[in-house]
Amino acid sequence: MSRVFNFAAGPGILPLPVLEEVAANLVDYHDQGMSLIEMSHRGAVFSQIIRETKDLLRELLRIPDTHDVLFLQGGGHTQFAMVPLNLLGAAAEASYIVSGIWSKKAAAEAAKFCHVNVIGTPSKSAIPAAESVVVANDAAYLYYCMNETVNGLEFNFVPQCPECVPLVADVSSDFLSRPIDFKRHALVFAGAQKNFGPAGLTVVILRKDLLGLAGDTCPTMLNYQIHAEAASMYNTPPTFAIWVANLVCKWLIQEGGVEVMDERARARSSLIYKVIDQSEGFFVNTIPERHRSRMNVVFTLAESALIDLFIKEADAQGLKNLKGHRSVGGLRASLYNAMPQEGAVKLAQFMQDFMQRHG
Ligand SMILES: *Cc1c(COP(=O)(O)O)cnc(C)c1O
C-alpha cells in the first residue's frame, strides 16, 4: 500500500504504527477470540484500557491530581453547552475571547444560558492583544479556543484572568501537540478526531472542585459530575475510539512526548510559512507571525482562479485534502502530530514548483 499525505483538518491523519496495530488485532484482540469492539465495556480487558489511557494522558500532559480526566461523546459542539451548564453556578455572566469560528460558535451557544461578555472582534478572526483581555471577578469563567482550526490562528500566550475565575480552553485541534499549564487551566476539552484518535471520543480535563456546580435541570448526560463519579462509565463509552487513543498515547510516549511534538510541529509549519512568505504575494497568509497556527496552515492564492488547479495537482501527487474550510475557502494544510516531516517537505516543494509554473 502506498500511503498518501493526508492534510485533512479532522478526522485527520493517525500514526501508521497505530493503524497497523489496530488492523492486526481488530478481529481477534490479543488471542481473546473476539474483537475488542464486541466486548463489554465493563469487562476486564476494556476496563484496563480505559484506566491505562487516563494514566497515559496524565503522564503525557503532566496532569496534576487536582484535575480529573473524562472520556465523553458528542464532540466539541456538546462541550459548547456543557461548559456553561456546568460552570455557571449562580453567576450571570461568562467571558469569551472570540478569535475565530470555533470560539464564536461556543460564545453563541453560551448566550443561551447566560450573558456573554465578548472579548475581541467577532466580525473578523484575530487573537486580541494580551492586555485587552480584561475579566471581571464575578465572571463564571473565561473561555478561549487555543487553536482556531478553520482560521489558522493559535494562541502564543495564556490569557490572564483573576485567580477566582476558572480558565477554560477548547484545545480540540492542538491537543497533545504542546504542554498545557494546568495551574492556569481549570478545564480543557478536545474532540479526539483532530489530533488524538478516531471521531466519537471527547476528552475533558477539569479541576475537581468545579464538579457539582450544575443545576438540577442539567440533563444527566451533560453533567460532568455524573461522568466523573462513574469514571467515564456512566453509560457505554466509545470503546473503539478509546482503544485507538490508548495506542496513540503509547506512540506519543515512544516518540518523546508533547515537547517533541511541539518541536516537530514548529518545523513542519515553518516550512510551509516560509514558502508563503518568500512567494512575493503568490501565496497569501495575513496572520501575524506570532499567532500563526503550528497545526493548521491556512492560506490562499492571490490568483484565486488557480485554487482548484492547485488542489487537483496536489491531489494527483498524493498531497490530499488541502481545500480550505467551506466557510473561508482557499487552502488549508493541517499538520497534526502524525504528519511525517516528509509530508511538509513534499508540500513545500510542490508549492514552489506550482509557483514556478504558474507565477
Ligand atoms: C472541530 C472543532 C470543533 C468541533 O468539533 P466536533 O467534534 O465536530 O463537534 C470545536 N472546536 C475546535 C477548535 C475544532 O477544531
Side-chain angles (χ1 to χ4, degrees):
M1 179 196 58
S2 89
R3 236 168 110 73
V4 298
F5 291 111
N6 178 11
F7 295 96
I13 186 170
L14 286 170
L16 182 58
V18 168
L19 298 177
E20 285 171 341
E21 165 93 15
V22 170
N25 291 288
L26 182 64
V27 175
D28 180 6
Y29 186 81
H30 296 287
D31 299 322
Q32 298 285 312
M34 66 169 88
S35 177
L36 178 100
I37 61 177
E38 300 173 294
M39 289 180 196
S40 165
H41 58 292
R42 303 202 188 273
V45 173
F46 184 75
S47 300
Q48 148 71 10
I49 290 177
I50 194 168
R51 266 200 311 271
E52 185 185 62
T53 312
K54 285 182 198 173
D55 290 343
L56 292 168
L57 274 184
R58 282 196 182 279
E59 179 184 338
L60 274 163
L61 289 172
R62 290 182 212 97
I63 302 169
D65 284 341
T66 46
H67 287 61
D68 213 335
V69 179
L70 307 181
F71 293 138
L72 309 178
Q73 301 188 59
H77 281 85
T78 303
Q79 292 311 307
F80 296 167
M82 280 180 84
V83 166
L85 277 168
N86 285 272
L87 300 195
L88 275 175
E93 181 176 292
S95 285
Y96 278 70
I97 301 179
V98 173
S99 53
I101 278 174
W102 288 120
S103 50
K104 193 172 176 179
K105 230 174 162 184
E109 186 76 355
K112 294 182 172 185
F113 305 103
C114 65
H115 178 258
V116 171
N117 171 38
V118 172
I119 300 166
T121 319
S123 57
K124 68 179 194 13
S125 60
I127 289 180
E131 57 280 7
S132 72
V133 180
V134 179
V135 180
N137 278 322
D138 59 353
Y141 55 89
L142 170 63
Y143 179 106
Y144 78 110
C145 176
M146 202 179 275
N147 182 66
E148 288 281 4
T149 323
V150 172
N151 309 91
L153 293 155
E154 190 171 18
F155 273 76
N156 64 339
F157 63 94
V158 178
Q160 287 288 349
C161 59
E163 198 141 337
C164 57
V165 176
L167 180 63
V168 175
D170 175 357
V171 298
S172 291
S173 49
D174 58 357
F175 191 52
L176 296 169
S177 77
R178 62 196 285 194
I180 296 172
D181 182 356
F182 287 102
K183 285 204 183 66
R184 305 281 297 280
H185 291 88
L187 186 155
V188 302
F189 69 83
Q193 73 273 19
K194 306 284 164 62
N195 212 3
F196 185 35
L201 169 66
T202 311
V203 184
V204 178
I205 304 168
L206 82 168
R207 241 170 46 204
K208 291 171 184 166
D209 65 284
L210 296 173
L211 298 167
L213 289 174
D216 294 340
T217 57
C218 180
T220 309
M221 279 298 290
L222 301 184
N223 190 329
Y224 291 135
Q225 190 175 25
I226 298 284
H227 294 287
E229 284 172 354
S232 301
M233 296 269 243
Y234 177 75
N235 72 325
T236 318
T239 53
F240 177 75
I242 292 171
W243 173 32
V244 181
N246 176 286
L247 298 175
V248 170
C249 286
K250 287 174 180 163
W251 177 80
L252 286 167
I253 289 169
Q254 205 174 0
E255 293 293 308
V258 294
E259 283 84 3
V260 171
M261 291 302 126
D262 187 15
E263 278 165 33
R264 288 187 192 169
R266 283 172 203 281
R268 280 190 300 261
S269 57
S270 302
L271 281 174
I272 310 304
Y273 287 124
K274 196 169 144 201
V275 175
I276 295 168
D277 290 343
Q278 295 181 348
S279 74
E280 293 172 356
F282 184 81
F283 295 109
V284 183
N285 169 296
T286 54
I287 297 165
E289 201 177 327
R290 65 191 182 283
H291 295 152
R292 282 174 164 178
S293 171
R294 302 159 307 133
M295 292 285 117
N296 313 94
V297 179
V298 173
F299 61 109
T300 192
L301 286 158
E303 189 76 65
S304 59
L306 288 173
I307 291 173
D308 287 346
L309 184 65
F310 181 95
I311 293 165
K312 200 172 136 216
E313 287 189 4
D315 188 272
Q317 294 196 22
L319 305 168
K320 302 280 178 180
N321 295 317
L322 286 162
K323 199 175 160 94
H325 189 267
R326 57 196 143 75
S327 63
V328 296
L331 300 158
R332 171 171 56 175
S334 295
L335 305 163
Y336 294 131
N337 286 339
M339 175 61 67
Q341 306 309 91
E342 188 199 341
V345 170
K346 224 181 143 194
L347 174 59
Q349 280 166 353
F350 169 76
M351 288 168 70
Q352 271 161 338
D353 172 63
F354 187 88
M355 180 168 64
Q356 254 151 35
R357 285 183 289 113
H358 301 283

